[in-house]
Amino acid sequence: MSPLRRVGAALAAALAGAGVIDESRLRATTDLAWPRIVTGFAIMSKRTVDLALVGLVVGPTAVAGLTLANAFWMAAKFVAIGLAGGTVSLVSQNYGGGDDERAAAVVRLSVVIALVLGVIAVATFGLAAEPLVGLLGGDRTAIGYGATYLAVVAPGLLFEFLNLIASRTYAGVSDTVTPMVVRAGGAVANIALSATFVVGLDMGVAGAALGTALATALVTVVFVWGMTGRNYVRGRGASPVPLRVRGSPHDRELLGQIASVSAPLVARRAAQGLVVFPLLAIAATFGPVAVAAVGVGRQVRALVGSFSWGFSIAASTLVGQELGRGDESEAEAYGREITRLSLLVYLVAAAVVVALAEPIAAVFVDDPANLSLSADFVRVAAISVVALGVDGSITGTLRGAGDTRVPFVATLAGAYLAALPLAWAGTVIPALGIAGLILSLLAETAVPLVVNARRFRSNRWKAVSREYRPSAGD
């Protein structure tokens, strides 16, 4: 046995001995989770690279501008993530049921919808970048930087919409490795292109946006090869449900199913994306330094939160499979133990980020006054990411059971009944001030965790799942 395998075996035995997760369940979880974790880091790194390059080369006001622009990018992307969530659900069910034709039809219809939505987003952001960014208020220079970034990066949204459909299609056929490799390659390309444009060619904010847009387009080009049924290397990577131009007799029925499954997911993601706008508008009242600090904190949280990409999809898949077999006790064990594992991982990750808060903040800003505030937000973001990560595993468990309404309500409560009022309170209570924004970061993730944890312990999700199991149709 190799040294790496010995370390892995010892770690698995230690986790099992400590009652965190059984060794067999750990193996099944990590097999599904690790490619998604790598994919998450690759995707989140694009925003991180742009913020870091612009912050060090141009300054904190430019970071504030990118933070404003990224709110629009993420709002549009969250809609695409909701659509892609419906795609993976229907592709996996039809592919698993042996109906490749219907699965391929789902992919084609999802691509068409993504194209329509993507074109609308590109046109809106490209033509109205300055007035849109200006709606959030704040420093005029920051607004100018944000408008420039949004206008140049906007075409990349069309490609990002398509990339999400491709990634979820592969996930639906149990292939999380291919999108991991493609997305990781895109992240490397983004670093090279953005660094070349920002540092080498001195293009500033526009260079960062151009690098991201081109890297995103490159990922789409690579995905098209495999999505049309062609292998990459060594006979691997071709989608078993290749994209076809011709229609299907099931199109009308499948369109209705895509809309039905995707709508709650889109609504939840939209709620997460839209709350950022009033939060940034509030931050803008404290000046561009505060906006930059909020942007740095939220970006660090999003990057560390990439672990949840893996744990959440593992929980959904494994819990769903066990419920489909009628084994509710095993499904509960998976949900409970994956949640424990995610708690342990996030506690370690948060501790590392808190300890390195100032060096991490220095990646984005270098002015001493700005560095101090950004480091504070990084520390709070690291603490809040523990709740975010654990909630991701619980939400994944509930999603695997088909119980999606409570997580949606929990997201609304955390964002609009807790985070937003706390941030606003800082503008009317002088003694609170910018601390209201810091508290909002904590409340935004803590409230959904409490609500969803209570739902999991109630076991009502098991009853919900009985309506969707194969035996229900019998």
Side-chain angles (χ1 to χ4, degrees), residues 48-73:
T48 307
V49 167
D50 285 357
L51 283 176
L53 285 173
V54 167
L56 295 178
V57 175
V58 184
T61 304
V63 173
L66 262 66
T67 299
L68 299 176
N70 281 335
F72 291 94
W73 171 284

PDB file of all heavy atoms in Angstrom, residues 48-73:
ATOM      1  N   THR A  48     -12.235  35.418  -7.837  1.00  0.00           N
ATOM      2  CA  THR A  48     -11.165  35.724  -6.893  1.00  0.00           C
ATOM      3  C   THR A  48      -9.962  36.313  -7.612  1.00  0.00           C
ATOM      4  O   THR A  48      -9.359  37.293  -7.154  1.00  0.00           O
ATOM      5  CB  THR A  48     -10.753  34.454  -6.131  1.00  0.00           C
ATOM      6  OG1 THR A  48     -11.915  33.857  -5.543  1.00  0.00           O
ATOM      7  CG2 THR A  48      -9.748  34.768  -5.045  1.00  0.00           C
ATOM      8  N   VAL A  49      -9.579  35.716  -8.739  1.00  0.00           N
ATOM      9  CA  VAL A  49      -8.430  36.198  -9.506  1.00  0.00           C
ATOM     10  C   VAL A  49      -8.671  37.622  -9.990  1.00  0.00           C
ATOM     11  O   VAL A  49      -7.790  38.490  -9.902  1.00  0.00           O
ATOM     12  CB  VAL A  49      -8.155  35.258 -10.699  1.00  0.00           C
ATOM     13  CG1 VAL A  49      -7.174  35.905 -11.679  1.00  0.00           C
ATOM     14  CG2 VAL A  49      -7.604  33.929 -10.211  1.00  0.00           C
ATOM     15  N   ASP A  50      -9.863  37.894 -10.505  1.00  0.00           N
ATOM     16  CA  ASP A  50     -10.169  39.239 -10.993  1.00  0.00           C
ATOM     17  C   ASP A  50     -10.064  40.273  -9.874  1.00  0.00           C
ATOM     18  O   ASP A  50      -9.472  41.339 -10.046  1.00  0.00           O
ATOM     19  CB  ASP A  50     -11.578  39.269 -11.608  1.00  0.00           C
ATOM     20  CG  ASP A  50     -11.619  38.603 -12.973  1.00  0.00           C
ATOM     21  OD1 ASP A  50     -10.549  38.184 -13.450  1.00  0.00           O
ATOM     22  OD2 ASP A  50     -12.713  38.494 -13.551  1.00  0.00           O
ATOM     23  N   LEU A  51     -10.660  39.959  -8.717  1.00  0.00           N
ATOM     24  CA  LEU A  51     -10.612  40.891  -7.592  1.00  0.00           C
ATOM     25  C   LEU A  51      -9.173  41.128  -7.130  1.00  0.00           C
ATOM     26  O   LEU A  51      -8.774  42.260  -6.844  1.00  0.00           O
ATOM     27  CB  LEU A  51     -11.442  40.364  -6.429  1.00  0.00           C
ATOM     28  CG  LEU A  51     -12.967  40.504  -6.528  1.00  0.00           C
ATOM     29  CD1 LEU A  51     -13.629  39.839  -5.334  1.00  0.00           C
ATOM     30  CD2 LEU A  51     -13.390  41.956  -6.603  1.00  0.00           C
ATOM     31  N   ALA A  52      -8.394  40.047  -7.059  1.00  0.00           N
ATOM     32  CA  ALA A  52      -7.021  40.170  -6.574  1.00  0.00           C
ATOM     33  C   ALA A  52      -6.167  40.997  -7.535  1.00  0.00           C
ATOM     34  O   ALA A  52      -5.436  41.906  -7.114  1.00  0.00           O
ATOM     35  CB  ALA A  52      -6.406  38.781  -6.383  1.00  0.00           C
ATOM     36  N   LEU A  53      -6.240  40.690  -8.820  1.00  0.00           N
ATOM     37  CA  LEU A  53      -5.433  41.417  -9.801  1.00  0.00           C
ATOM     38  C   LEU A  53      -5.789  42.901  -9.831  1.00  0.00           C
ATOM     39  O   LEU A  53      -4.916  43.768  -9.798  1.00  0.00           O
ATOM     40  CB  LEU A  53      -5.629  40.807 -11.192  1.00  0.00           C
ATOM     41  CG  LEU A  53      -4.922  39.473 -11.456  1.00  0.00           C
ATOM     42  CD1 LEU A  53      -5.355  38.909 -12.799  1.00  0.00           C
ATOM     43  CD2 LEU A  53      -3.414  39.656 -11.427  1.00  0.00           C
ATOM     44  N   VAL A  54      -7.076  43.174  -9.891  1.00  0.00           N
ATOM     45  CA  VAL A  54      -7.519  44.563  -9.962  1.00  0.00           C
ATOM     46  C   VAL A  54      -7.195  45.301  -8.664  1.00  0.00           C
ATOM     47  O   VAL A  54      -6.788  46.469  -8.675  1.00  0.00           O
ATOM     48  CB  VAL A  54      -9.029  44.623 -10.265  1.00  0.00           C
ATOM     49  CG1 VAL A  54      -9.571  46.024 -10.033  1.00  0.00           C
ATOM     50  CG2 VAL A  54      -9.282  44.202 -11.704  1.00  0.00           C
ATOM     51  N   GLY A  55      -7.364  44.628  -7.523  1.00  0.00           N
ATOM     52  CA  GLY A  55      -7.074  45.272  -6.250  1.00  0.00           C
ATOM     53  C   GLY A  55      -5.618  45.658  -6.118  1.00  0.00           C
ATOM     54  O   GLY A  55      -5.293  46.752  -5.639  1.00  0.00           O
ATOM     55  N   LEU A  56      -4.709  44.786  -6.554  1.00  0.00           N
ATOM     56  CA  LEU A  56      -3.288  45.064  -6.410  1.00  0.00           C
ATOM     57  C   LEU A  56      -2.758  46.026  -7.467  1.00  0.00           C
ATOM     58  O   LEU A  56      -1.846  46.804  -7.207  1.00  0.00           O
ATOM     59  CB  LEU A  56      -2.501  43.747  -6.467  1.00  0.00           C
ATOM     60  CG  LEU A  56      -2.769  42.760  -5.319  1.00  0.00           C
ATOM     61  CD1 LEU A  56      -1.974  41.486  -5.505  1.00  0.00           C
ATOM     62  CD2 LEU A  56      -2.424  43.411  -3.979  1.00  0.00           C
ATOM     63  N   VAL A  57      -3.328  45.979  -8.671  1.00  0.00           N
ATOM     64  CA  VAL A  57      -2.828  46.820  -9.758  1.00  0.00           C
ATOM     65  C   VAL A  57      -3.530  48.173  -9.813  1.00  0.00           C
ATOM     66  O   VAL A  57      -2.893  49.205 -10.027  1.00  0.00           O
ATOM     67  CB  VAL A  57      -2.971  46.088 -11.117  1.00  0.00           C
ATOM     68  CG1 VAL A  57      -2.560  47.002 -12.273  1.00  0.00           C
ATOM     69  CG2 VAL A  57      -2.131  44.823 -11.126  1.00  0.00           C
ATOM     70  N   VAL A  58      -4.852  48.176  -9.621  1.00  0.00           N
ATOM     71  CA  VAL A  58      -5.628  49.418  -9.756  1.00  0.00           C
ATOM     72  C   VAL A  58      -5.933  50.051  -8.403  1.00  0.00           C
ATOM     73  O   VAL A  58      -5.770  51.254  -8.218  1.00  0.00           O
ATOM     74  CB  VAL A  58      -6.935  49.166 -10.539  1.00  0.00           C
ATOM     75  CG1 VAL A  58      -7.674  50.486 -10.763  1.00  0.00           C
ATOM     76  CG2 VAL A  58      -6.640  48.486 -11.874  1.00  0.00           C
ATOM     77  N   GLY A  59      -6.417  49.252  -7.430  1.00  0.00           N
ATOM     78  CA  GLY A  59      -6.699  49.794  -6.119  1.00  0.00           C
ATOM     79  C   GLY A  59      -8.039  49.361  -5.559  1.00  0.00           C
ATOM     80  O   GLY A  59      -8.847  48.736  -6.255  1.00  0.00           O
ATOM     81  N   PRO A  60      -8.324  49.710  -4.295  1.00  0.00           N
ATOM     82  CA  PRO A  60      -9.552  49.264  -3.632  1.00  0.00           C
ATOM     83  C   PRO A  60     -10.826  49.825  -4.258  1.00  0.00           C
ATOM     84  O   PRO A  60     -11.872  49.180  -4.179  1.00  0.00           O
ATOM     85  CB  PRO A  60      -9.383  49.754  -2.190  1.00  0.00           C
ATOM     86  CG  PRO A  60      -8.374  50.854  -2.269  1.00  0.00           C
ATOM     87  CD  PRO A  60      -7.454  50.469  -3.370  1.00  0.00           C
ATOM     88  N   THR A  61     -10.767  50.996  -4.859  1.00  0.00           N
ATOM     89  CA  THR A  61     -11.964  51.536  -5.504  1.00  0.00           C
ATOM     90  C   THR A  61     -12.381  50.659  -6.675  1.00  0.00           C
ATOM     91  O   THR A  61     -13.570  50.466  -6.936  1.00  0.00           O
ATOM     92  CB  THR A  61     -11.723  52.980  -5.985  1.00  0.00           C
ATOM     93  OG1 THR A  61     -11.300  53.777  -4.883  1.00  0.00           O
ATOM     94  CG2 THR A  61     -12.998  53.580  -6.560  1.00  0.00           C
ATOM     95  N   ALA A  62     -11.398  50.107  -7.387  1.00  0.00           N
ATOM     96  CA  ALA A  62     -11.696  49.183  -8.480  1.00  0.00           C
ATOM     97  C   ALA A  62     -12.285  47.884  -7.942  1.00  0.00           C
ATOM     98  O   ALA A  62     -13.179  47.286  -8.564  1.00  0.00           O
ATOM     99  CB  ALA A  62     -10.432  48.898  -9.291  1.00  0.00           C
ATOM    100  N   VAL A  63     -11.792  47.427  -6.770  1.00  0.00           N
ATOM    101  CA  VAL A  63     -12.374  46.233  -6.132  1.00  0.00           C
ATOM    102  C   VAL A  63     -13.839  46.485  -5.801  1.00  0.00           C
ATOM    103  O   VAL A  63     -14.696  45.617  -5.995  1.00  0.00           O
ATOM    104  CB  VAL A  63     -11.581  45.866  -4.860  1.00  0.00           C
ATOM    105  CG1 VAL A  63     -12.285  44.729  -4.111  1.00  0.00           C
ATOM    106  CG2 VAL A  63     -10.170  45.457  -5.224  1.00  0.00           C
ATOM    107  N   ALA A  64     -14.133  47.692  -5.307  1.00  0.00           N
ATOM    108  CA  ALA A  64     -15.525  48.052  -5.022  1.00  0.00           C
ATOM    109  C   ALA A  64     -16.358  48.005  -6.300  1.00  0.00           C
ATOM    110  O   ALA A  64     -17.492  47.511  -6.303  1.00  0.00           O
ATOM    111  CB  ALA A  64     -15.589  49.452  -4.409  1.00  0.00           C
ATOM    112  N   GLY A  65     -15.797  48.512  -7.404  1.00  0.00           N
ATOM    113  CA  GLY A  65     -16.517  48.478  -8.678  1.00  0.00           C
ATOM    114  C   GLY A  65     -16.801  47.066  -9.145  1.00  0.00           C
ATOM    115  O   GLY A  65     -17.907  46.754  -9.597  1.00  0.00           O
ATOM    116  N   LEU A  66     -15.800  46.179  -9.050  1.00  0.00           N
ATOM    117  CA  LEU A  66     -16.007  44.788  -9.442  1.00  0.00           C
ATOM    118  C   LEU A  66     -17.028  44.104  -8.549  1.00  0.00           C
ATOM    119  O   LEU A  66     -17.801  43.248  -9.006  1.00  0.00           O
ATOM    120  CB  LEU A  66     -14.681  44.024  -9.404  1.00  0.00           C
ATOM    121  CG  LEU A  66     -13.970  43.874 -10.755  1.00  0.00           C
ATOM    122  CD1 LEU A  66     -13.527  45.230 -11.259  1.00  0.00           C
ATOM    123  CD2 LEU A  66     -12.797  42.921 -10.645  1.00  0.00           C
ATOM    124  N   THR A  67     -17.039  44.462  -7.272  1.00  0.00           N
ATOM    125  CA  THR A  67     -18.025  43.889  -6.350  1.00  0.00           C
ATOM    126  C   THR A  67     -19.440  44.258  -6.787  1.00  0.00           C
ATOM    127  O   THR A  67     -20.349  43.415  -6.767  1.00  0.00           O
ATOM    128  CB  THR A  67     -17.766  44.396  -4.927  1.00  0.00           C
ATOM    129  OG1 THR A  67     -16.455  43.981  -4.502  1.00  0.00           O
ATOM    130  CG2 THR A  67     -18.797  43.840  -3.957  1.00  0.00           C
ATOM    131  N   LEU A  68     -19.638  45.509  -7.184  1.00  0.00           N
ATOM    132  CA  LEU A  68     -20.947  45.935  -7.670  1.00  0.00           C
ATOM    133  C   LEU A  68     -21.323  45.185  -8.949  1.00  0.00           C
ATOM    134  O   LEU A  68     -22.455  44.714  -9.103  1.00  0.00           O
ATOM    135  CB  LEU A  68     -20.943  47.439  -7.930  1.00  0.00           C
ATOM    136  CG  LEU A  68     -20.662  48.350  -6.718  1.00  0.00           C
ATOM    137  CD1 LEU A  68     -20.593  49.805  -7.158  1.00  0.00           C
ATOM    138  CD2 LEU A  68     -21.734  48.182  -5.652  1.00  0.00           C
ATOM    139  N   ALA A  69     -20.382  45.075  -9.884  1.00  0.00           N
ATOM    140  CA  ALA A  69     -20.654  44.394 -11.158  1.00  0.00           C
ATOM    141  C   ALA A  69     -20.926  42.912 -10.950  1.00  0.00           C
ATOM    142  O   ALA A  69     -21.809  42.324 -11.599  1.00  0.00           O
ATOM    143  CB  ALA A  69     -19.474  44.588 -12.107  1.00  0.00           C
ATOM    144  N   ASN A  70     -20.170  42.275 -10.041  1.00  0.00           N
ATOM    145  CA  ASN A  70     -20.334  40.840  -9.806  1.00  0.00           C
ATOM    146  C   ASN A  70     -21.708  40.495  -9.241  1.00  0.00           C
ATOM    147  O   ASN A  70     -22.190  39.368  -9.401  1.00  0.00           O
ATOM    148  CB  ASN A  70     -19.246  40.332  -8.860  1.00  0.00           C
ATOM    149  CG  ASN A  70     -17.918  40.113  -9.565  1.00  0.00           C
ATOM    150  OD1 ASN A  70     -17.881  39.888 -10.770  1.00  0.00           O
ATOM    151  ND2 ASN A  70     -16.833  40.200  -8.820  1.00  0.00           N
ATOM    152  N   ALA A  71     -22.339  41.466  -8.575  1.00  0.00           N
ATOM    153  CA  ALA A  71     -23.692  41.210  -8.063  1.00  0.00           C
ATOM    154  C   ALA A  71     -24.639  40.918  -9.220  1.00  0.00           C
ATOM    155  O   ALA A  71     -25.513  40.042  -9.115  1.00  0.00           O
ATOM    156  CB  ALA A  71     -24.178  42.421  -7.265  1.00  0.00           C
ATOM    157  N   PHE A  72     -24.481  41.622 -10.335  1.00  0.00           N
ATOM    158  CA  PHE A  72     -25.339  41.390 -11.498  1.00  0.00           C
ATOM    159  C   PHE A  72     -24.982  40.069 -12.174  1.00  0.00           C
ATOM    160  O   PHE A  72     -25.866  39.318 -12.604  1.00  0.00           O
ATOM    161  CB  PHE A  72     -25.202  42.557 -12.480  1.00  0.00           C
ATOM    162  CG  PHE A  72     -25.797  43.837 -11.984  1.00  0.00           C
ATOM    163  CD1 PHE A  72     -25.020  44.772 -11.320  1.00  0.00           C
ATOM    164  CD2 PHE A  72     -27.146  44.102 -12.156  1.00  0.00           C
ATOM    165  CE1 PHE A  72     -25.570  45.956 -10.841  1.00  0.00           C
ATOM    166  CE2 PHE A  72     -27.712  45.276 -11.677  1.00  0.00           C
ATOM    167  CZ  PHE A  72     -26.915  46.205 -11.016  1.00  0.00           C
ATOM    168  N   TRP A  73     -23.685  39.793 -12.299  1.00  0.00           N
ATOM    169  CA  TRP A  73     -23.246  38.523 -12.886  1.00  0.00           C
ATOM    170  C   TRP A  73     -23.834  37.356 -12.096  1.00  0.00           C
ATOM    171  O   TRP A  73     -24.386  36.411 -12.678  1.00  0.00           O
ATOM    172  CB  TRP A  73     -21.722  38.460 -12.903  1.00  0.00           C
ATOM    173  CG  TRP A  73     -21.156  37.115 -13.286  1.00  0.00           C
ATOM    174  CD1 TRP A  73     -21.085  36.001 -12.508  1.00  0.00           C
ATOM    175  CD2 TRP A  73     -20.604  36.743 -14.561  1.00  0.00           C
ATOM    176  NE1 TRP A  73     -20.510  34.951 -13.196  1.00  0.00           N
ATOM    177  CE2 TRP A  73     -20.209  35.375 -14.454  1.00  0.00           C
ATOM    178  CE3 TRP A  73     -20.383  37.425 -15.749  1.00  0.00           C
ATOM    179  CZ2 TRP A  73     -19.606  34.695 -15.516  1.00  0.00           C
ATOM    180  CZ3 TRP A  73     -19.779  36.734 -16.810  1.00  0.00           C
ATOM    181  CH2 TRP A  73     -19.412  35.393 -16.688  1.00  0.00           C
TER     182      TRP A  73
END
